[in-house]
Amino acid sequence: MKFISWNIDSVNAAVEHKSARGEMTWQVLQDIAAEQPDVLAIQETKLKPTGLTKKQAAALDELFPGYHRYLRISTGRSGYSGTMMLSKTEPIAVEMPEIGAPGDMDIEGRIITLEFPNVYVSTVYTPNSGSELARLDERQAWDDAYRAYVSGLDAKKPVIFSGDFNVAHQEIDLKNPKTNHKSAGFTDEERTKFSALLDAGFTDVFRHLNPDLAGVYTWWAQISKTSKINNSGWRIDYYLTSTRLNDQLANFSVIDTGARQDHAPIKLEMTDDFEL
């Protein structure tokens, strides 16, 4: 069974593909469709409150025929944040939770959870701490609320959750740790909260399968023209699973996006005996 997760940075940019970067984004989405994942999670859809346009819906229907599709749109700011999940199997329940996060975080469309008979599959777009760490205090409150939320799910049945967590956990998870120690996504506070999430009973799938592997990243800054060329990246996109699923973790990979900078999709494969 195969799961894919991707911060797409605008569904519209992918579907319209009117720029060189849009063309690359569209190609990545086509590559994902060719993989035929059992569940696809997408973050940062940037959809308007009206949801998908007819053109966007038609494009997704063509790429992912027969999939069940679920949208969580930001009601706090138009065209901001947002998540989407597509599943071959219809879930028994769909949750768009509010977790008691500060400010507008609960209305920014950041979490979708699908419940299946044996497991929850969830996605998250974690708030960024922002320039000059203006949102760091709120981000820490989010991390505490989110950890409580997924722990509550885990108390009922195992959880597979993925997304852009906006944190590189250890120095091995980014190219330049020393110069980024006080940057959003690599502060001591954010890394400590991520450690607390793992300590609550969850596994970082990539690091579990590749304990010492360096140089594998999921995000390269667009602001730097050479970040992808030099592989000056960060690993900030994750699949996390309840630790009791460890024996069913078969493989994790980062899907190649060529010259496209920003986020790359990540893929989790489970063993043959795994069932939703």
Side-chain angles (χ1 to χ4, degrees):
M1 189 160 285
K2 186 186 303 180
F3 301 84
I4 293 178
S5 180
W6 185 31
N7 179 322
I8 195 173
D9 189 30
S10 175
V11 168
N12 189 62
V15 172
E16 293 293 336
H17 49 276
K18 292 181 177 179
S19 65
R21 185 171 184 277
E23 288 281 1
M24 288 189 285
T25 304
W26 178 243
Q27 182 59 58
V28 174
L29 193 58
Q30 291 179 302
D31 292 344
I32 290 172
E35 292 268 0
Q36 296 188 328
D38 291 278
V39 181
L40 170 62
I42 292 180
Q43 306 88 46
E44 206 167 0
T45 56
K46 295 184 176 179
L47 295 177
K48 295 180 180 179
T50 48
L52 293 167
T53 65
K54 290 182 179 180
K55 183 175 182 179
Q56 291 164 357
L60 291 172
D61 287 342
E62 184 174 352
L63 286 176
F64 303 97
Y67 278 72
H68 303 273
R69 186 168 62 225
Y70 307 96
L71 302 173
R72 182 89 184 267
I73 297 168
S74 171
T75 57
R77 191 193 317 177
S78 179
Y80 175 72
S81 187
T83 46
M84 174 167 59
M85 295 188 78
L86 298 94
S87 176
K88 285 183 177 179
T89 302
E90 185 175 8
I92 59 177
V94 180
E95 185 178 24
M96 313 279 185
E98 293 188 3
I99 61 173
D104 289 339
M105 290 178 175
D106 262 340
I107 58 172
E108 291 173 345
R110 294 184 175 277
I111 305 172
I112 302 175
T113 299
L114 309 182
E115 182 182 358
F116 297 96
N118 299 308
V119 69
Y120 290 102
V121 182
S122 186
T123 195
V124 64
Y125 177 38
T126 302
N128 192 299
S129 294
S131 60
E132 299 183 1
L133 304 178
R135 218 178 184 187
L136 181 58
D137 288 344
E138 289 187 340
R139 163 62 187 271
Q140 292 182 81
W142 163 279
D143 286 338
D144 289 338
Y146 183 71
R147 184 175 67 255
Y149 170 69
V150 292
S151 294
L153 296 178
D154 183 57
K156 302 171 189 175
K157 62 180 74 173
V159 191
I160 295 172
F161 53 116
S162 66
D164 174 2
F165 283 78
N166 265 314
V167 60
H169 185 213
Q170 304 289 355
E171 290 191 355
I172 195 175
D173 296 317
L174 71 166
K175 182 67 173 288
N176 299 305
K178 291 182 180 179
T179 56
N180 283 292
H181 187 210
K182 295 186 178 180
S183 299
F186 198 60
T187 63
D188 290 341
E189 292 88 345
E190 292 162 312
R191 295 167 63 196
T192 297
K193 293 295 186 185
F194 194 81
S195 292
L197 178 58
L198 298 181
D199 290 344
F202 302 106
T203 297
D204 172 356
V205 176
F206 170 78
R207 193 53 70 200
H208 175 74
L209 296 175
N210 306 278
D212 303 310
L213 184 59
V216 176
Y217 308 122
T218 66
W219 177 81
W220 300 262
Q222 294 184 64
I223 197 171
S224 169
K225 293 182 179 180
T226 61
S227 66
K228 195 72 179 285
I229 295 170
N230 296 333
N231 197 27
S232 295
W234 297 49
R235 189 175 72 92
I236 59 176
D237 303 88
Y238 299 81
Y239 264 103
L240 304 183
T241 59
S242 298
T243 54
R244 58 193 184 277
L245 294 177
N246 282 2
D247 289 343
Q248 293 177 287
L249 303 175
N251 190 45
F252 177 100
S253 56
V254 179
I255 294 175
D256 183 19
T257 58
R260 184 185 184 275
Q261 295 173 209
D262 204 48
H263 294 266
I266 54 176
K267 179 171 66 175
L268 165 65
E269 294 172 90
M270 304 295 287
T271 55
D272 292 340
D273 61 339
F274 176 82
E275 294 181 355
L276 283 174

